[in-house]
Amino acid sequence: MPTLAAHGRLIRLTVLVFALFALAFLGGGGLLVWLGGSPYYLVAGLMLLATAWLLWRRPLHAFWLYIVLLAGTMVWSVIEVGLDGWQLVPRLDLWIVLGLWLALPWVPNRLSTTHGAVKLAREVTLLRIVLLLAAALLVYGVFFRPAPGTLEGSLAEATAPGNQAAHFAPRDWSAYGHSGYGDRYAPLSQITPANVARLERAWEFHTGDFKGSGDPDEMANEVTPLKANGMLYICTPHNIVIALDPDTGRERWRFNPRINRDASHYQHMICRGVAYYDAAAYGRTAADSPAVSECPRRIYAPTADATLVAVNADTGQPCTRFGQRGVVDLKAGQGAIKRGALNPTSPPVVTNRILVASASVTDNDSTNEPSGVILGFDIDSGKLVWNWDSGNPDETTPLPPGRQYVRNSPNSWSVSSVDERLGLVYIPMGNQTPDIWGGNRKQPAERFSSSIVALDIASGKLRWVYQTVHHDLWDMDIGAQPTLVDLDRPEGRVPALVAPTKRGDVYVLDRRTGRLLVPAPERPVPQGAAKGDWTAPTQPFSALSFAPEKPLRETDMWGSSPLDQLVCRIQFRRHRYEGIFTPPSVKGSLVYPGNYGVFDWGGVAIDPVRQVMIANPNYMAFRSRLIPREEGVERDNNGSEMGIQPMTGTPFGVILRPFLSPLGIPCQAPPWGYMAAVDLRTMKKIWMHRNGTIRDSAPLPVPVPLGVPSLGGPMVTAGGVAFMSATLDYYLRAYDVKTGRQLWRDRLPAGGQATPMSYVSERTGRQYVVVMAGGHGSLGTKLGDSLIAYALPAGQQR
């Protein structure tokens, strides 16, 4: 019997490779079985090790054993995941590669030579047949089976009149979400499904504002431009306000508030947008106020220094009659706070007489953060008119000198909506930080975390509140701007509020009263919080939901090969997981959906005429692990919300990370991102398609259409076209609102983690679609400074 040395280098290498893979499967597979997982990997390791031994002792047996292993793996894979092609890939790819290595001529020929008369023709032929069957299974599953979650449908056309917010011009985009309603709907029909493929770049503008030394990891250009007053208005991550010509992209003016750039103190460096106010739209003239005389049209912009600045929308000069020479300090009444602890990343809400402002605080840093107070300022003077503090909700009269707001009360970091006809502003509330342990939270703050709050515009008094998560321990605060729409229902037309959430449920409320229009019954959820904490026994589950249809299972684990899939299975078994709302733990818990959310600050777009909601749900699991204080807790990141978070003032720190394989690939199977539509007349999903490729997040730039996460939101037009740029690959895409079919895309120079907008030029009549390609540090997309406008070719607007 020949020895291993007699086989030559090729066979020795083959045996060594098979043996090393076998040992990896034996070790990992044994651990997985010990944790209560699938025995497949242990059995496969044993068979692979036996194959390696037989390759130099009895080649005929080696080939038969590998054929059995490959065929058995195919059967096991189909039993686990059916014909889902992308789930089959990591179960079969390594075995196909190893099988090809055995089936190609050089290995059988070398074995025949070293073993004399041994003939392997039959075995090799059979192995090649099984390999073809495995490859055919993959091809069928990948290319001919719909992705999980896919829903094919078509929207029936509607002719109902759409609702319109007060005080806005339909051809402009005068507020963050187009109007105070936050519907991200452009009532423009020049661009249609029939001609959108002809869109071309009209102009590109570069802000020149880039990440600097010491800037936090979460540096992001999330701005949605405004179009008003014959100009475009944007802000940059360092809060520079720029006005542009809407037809050429040429800079008109620039205002730099010169914030403190010692950015090591900031958790974020973000500006989502500015607010625009036109006194004439409210029938006001220079005779009404000296402030109107000085600045009849104004831009209100937040800064990372926790101020609001007011500048003349015509010239970019400060409106000196507002606050202190154009600046209002949001830190007043907060007591001693460190720089960066209060940071307004979103634009304020503009109304006739009141400017409503809020700010983010540092997540998971301590229990002694600034108050999350909501502030109502006089629109002209910047004088504080009211304050609504969720820690002291009944006292809205401005605090007297010497008094302070309640420390660490829940805040609002996103964009609010407003219905001036009803006299209400709708605030999406965050959590009382830290997010992951809440044993010391008390009423009344508990009542307002992760809720929608309706406040009286004039007085700041609470009108109603609806809470979407009780005692939130998962950072499921409401990041999306609530969208206001008048819905046709059996009882008639109802003024509604649509609130998408990180957990995936969409809450539909009567915006007059907070009454549910879509049922959201309370259901039991997992219990067993960490020491000193507690969990709510039930949570409200909306009947309109994009939450995962089922909890994660071990069979949902993914990877690029069986090896990293095995590691993901081991991680899954090592963490506590009982479905959504599994409490945080010292052992480590899986959070699915993760705290980036099914829906985050990008919100949804609603066509009020068709009464359809366009959304971009995401599905990414995260993991958290509580660290007992006595073990030592020290932040390990540059301002990021990931990694070790200190949670000072609690018994624990916490480690927060995405649930990824050792290769940085999501541990749960794709798709991870979709585009979807809901008929709001029936509250039924119409279509849902995976969206985006891994071109810009994989080691090789291959545009595999797995459906990738997105951060940012969609925009929809009266022409029946929706646009979105927020995916991890660098594209602006257009979709048919009726069917969800992708109609067009264009490559962006950087990540497009922003929400596009659209307007019509007064001078040329062209409809433009504009998007910021600025990237996002926390997601790892390429940073940039490009604002890009698209339009149909001149003379082809029909």
Side-chain angles (χ1 to χ4, degrees), residues 126-141:
L126 182 58
L127 176 59
R128 289 171 179 170
I129 292 172
V130 176
L131 285 170
L132 283 174
L133 290 175
L137 186 63
L138 284 183
V139 169
Y140 176 75

Side-chain angles (χ1 to χ4, degrees), residues 255 294 308-311 317-328 381:
F255 174 80
E294 179 195 27
L308 281 177
V309 298
V311 298
Q317 296 300 307
C319 297
T320 59
R321 296 181 184 274
F322 179 82
Q324 298 295 316
R325 300 195 61 79
V327 179
V328 163
S381 68

Side-chain angles (χ1 to χ4, degrees), residues 560-705:
S560 62
S561 72
L563 284 174
D564 52 324
Q565 184 187 51
L566 172 57
V567 174
C568 286
R569 286 181 183 246
I570 292 170
Q571 290 181 1
F572 177 81
R573 288 288 179 179
R574 279 180 163 166
H575 284 77
R576 180 181 178 185
Y577 180 67
E578 299 151 40
I580 191 170
F581 297 119
T582 299
S585 63
V586 174
K587 176 183 179 181
S589 297
L590 289 184
V591 185
Y592 183 62
N595 62 335
Y596 267 22
V598 176
F599 302 110
D600 204 350
W601 54 264
V604 298
I606 291 181
D607 181 330
V609 178
R610 296 179 176 89
Q611 302 214 346
V612 61
M613 180 181 86
I614 305 297
N616 56 311
N618 300 289
Y619 300 92
M620 287 288 292
F622 279 66
R623 47 185 176 155
S624 67
R625 184 172 69 83
L626 295 174
I627 311 169
R629 184 70 53 194
E630 57 270 20
E631 294 182 11
V633 180
E634 185 174 346
R635 186 183 289 274
D636 68 345
N637 55 69
N638 181 23
S640 171
E641 295 180 57
M642 295 295 106
I644 298 176
Q645 312 286 302
M647 299 205 300
T648 304
T650 76
F652 303 96
V654 67
I655 301 177
L656 298 172
R657 301 193 191 282
F659 187 27
L660 303 177
S661 79
L663 299 179
I665 297 170
C667 268
Q668 96 254 15
W672 307 296
Y674 294 83
M675 285 293 285
V678 171
D679 186 335
L680 293 175
R681 294 163 297 188
T682 63
M683 298 298 165
K684 302 295 184 183
K685 297 174 186 175
I686 308 166
W687 50 260
M688 185 165 169
H689 304 148
R690 64 185 175 190
N691 188 53
T693 74
I694 61 170
R695 170 174 177 169
D696 297 301
S697 50
L700 297 175
V702 180
V704 182

